[in-house]
Amino acid sequence: GDSVTQMEGPVTLSEEAFLTINCTYTATGYPSLFWYVQYPGEGLQLLLKATKADDKGSNKGFEATYRKETTSFHLEKGSVQVSDSAVYFCALMSDSNYQLIWGAGTKLIIKP
Amino acid sequence: NAGVTQTPKFQVLKTGQSMTLQCAQDMNHEYMSWYRQDPGMGLRLIHYSVGAGITDQGEVPNGYNVSRSTTEDFPLRLLSAAPSQTSVYFCASSQTGTEVYNEQFFGPGTRLTVL
């Protein structure tokens, strides 16, 4: 079945460092891909999404490109801030049953 | 516009007790769902609903019941709580359940501990 694999955390970086959080997926058909973020003590909120191959989602300085050839949707940011500390979830939505399949989440810690 | 609200925020139960987690949304969304979040496992779908009067099982439905009598409300019932149900529970909604690009909106979660 469909699945999402993302890098284990925690990932600890200094402020202004470059961020990459890897996400790869297995799916049949043409899924949509998402990154959600969960700040401490809060629910999840959508960070960005891409609905077809080669689409780039972007928001708040974060970017991710839907790469069908490598089945990947890596999250990147050029210069992280302390306020980016959160748990980041990669997810896909199958076009067959419209259910979200979630990665395990990656905790990001940014130190000043 | 409150979005998705959940009550309570925290709950402690004894094994065998029953309770209902409340979820409501004011965005007129057709699709609502319940997830549980466990460390290292991401979110797992418990039950979902594509509209009032329609519910279906997700990945981990055992021990839970749901109903959807109105568009706004989607309560989750624990029939006889077990320690394995200790988790954080999230309710989510989206405009419809039949499009792959729909954003899901999440409530703040309920942290449940079963002793």
Side-chain angles (χ1 to χ4, degrees):
Chain A
D2 297 351
S3 65
V4 174
T5 303
Q6 55 180 114
M7 60 191 295
E8 288 189 26
V11 173
T12 303
L13 296 172
S14 297
E15 206 166 19
E16 299 184 4
F18 185 87
L19 168 71
T20 300
I21 299 178
N22 290 336
C23 172
T24 57
Y25 68 91
T26 302
T28 55
Y30 302 92
S32 290
L33 301 173
F34 303 82
W35 277 100
Y36 279 79
V37 59
Q38 183 181 29
Y39 297 105
E42 298 183 10
L44 284 74
Q45 55 186 275
L46 179 66
L47 180 60
L48 54 83
K49 67 183 180 185
T51 58
K52 60 183 187 296
D54 299 325
D55 265 3
K56 177 185 284 188
S58 61
N59 186 24
K60 299 182 181 180
F62 290 89
E63 292 183 340
T65 302
Y66 187 162
R67 302 280 189 204
K68 196 165 177 66
E69 64 275 14
T70 55
T71 62
S72 64
F73 192 55
H74 304 321
L75 183 68
E76 297 182 334
K77 186 175 186 183
S79 177
V80 292
Q81 306 300 312
V82 172
S83 57
D84 293 327
S85 297
V87 181
Y88 292 82
F89 291 91
C90 184
L92 72 81
M93 182 173 284
S94 164
D95 64 350
S96 61
N97 63 12
Y98 307 104
Q99 300 299 332
L100 273 172
I101 308 297
W102 296 87
T106 302
K107 185 173 184 177
L108 175 66
I109 301 169
I110 306 300
K111 297 190 173 181
Chain B
N1 190 335
V4 180
T5 58
Q6 291 183 237
T7 57
K9 285 194 171 182
F10 302 93
Q11 183 70 48
V12 179
L13 293 178
K14 295 181 179 178
T15 297
Q17 287 184 316
S18 62
M19 79 158 295
T20 299
L21 307 185
Q22 300 292 343
C23 174
Q25 53 91 9
D26 61 1
M27 297 173 282
N28 203 32
H29 284 169
E30 293 181 11
Y31 183 88
M32 297 186 73
S33 56
W34 276 101
Y35 293 93
R36 57 178 291 172
Q37 182 183 27
D38 300 296
M41 299 187 71
L43 277 73
R44 292 183 291 170
L45 182 65
I46 304 171
H47 285 286
Y48 66 97
S49 168
V50 298
I54 306 169
T55 63
D56 208 345
Q57 297 181 349
E59 180 186 356
V60 289
N62 292 341
Y64 307 96
N65 273 356
V66 292
S67 60
R68 184 97 179 270
S69 56
T70 67
T71 299
E72 295 78 20
D73 300 299
F74 191 45
L76 177 73
R77 296 182 188 84
L78 279 70
L79 307 172
S80 177
S84 60
Q85 294 178 304
T86 294
S87 188
V88 181
Y89 291 85
F90 288 102
C91 179
S93 73
S94 63
Q95 194 163 14
T96 174
T98 57
E99 291 174 348
V100 294
Y101 48 81
N102 270 324
E103 175 181 358
Q104 289 206 7
F105 294 83
F106 284 80
T110 295
R111 185 175 294 274
L112 176 68
T113 302
V114 183
L115 304 175

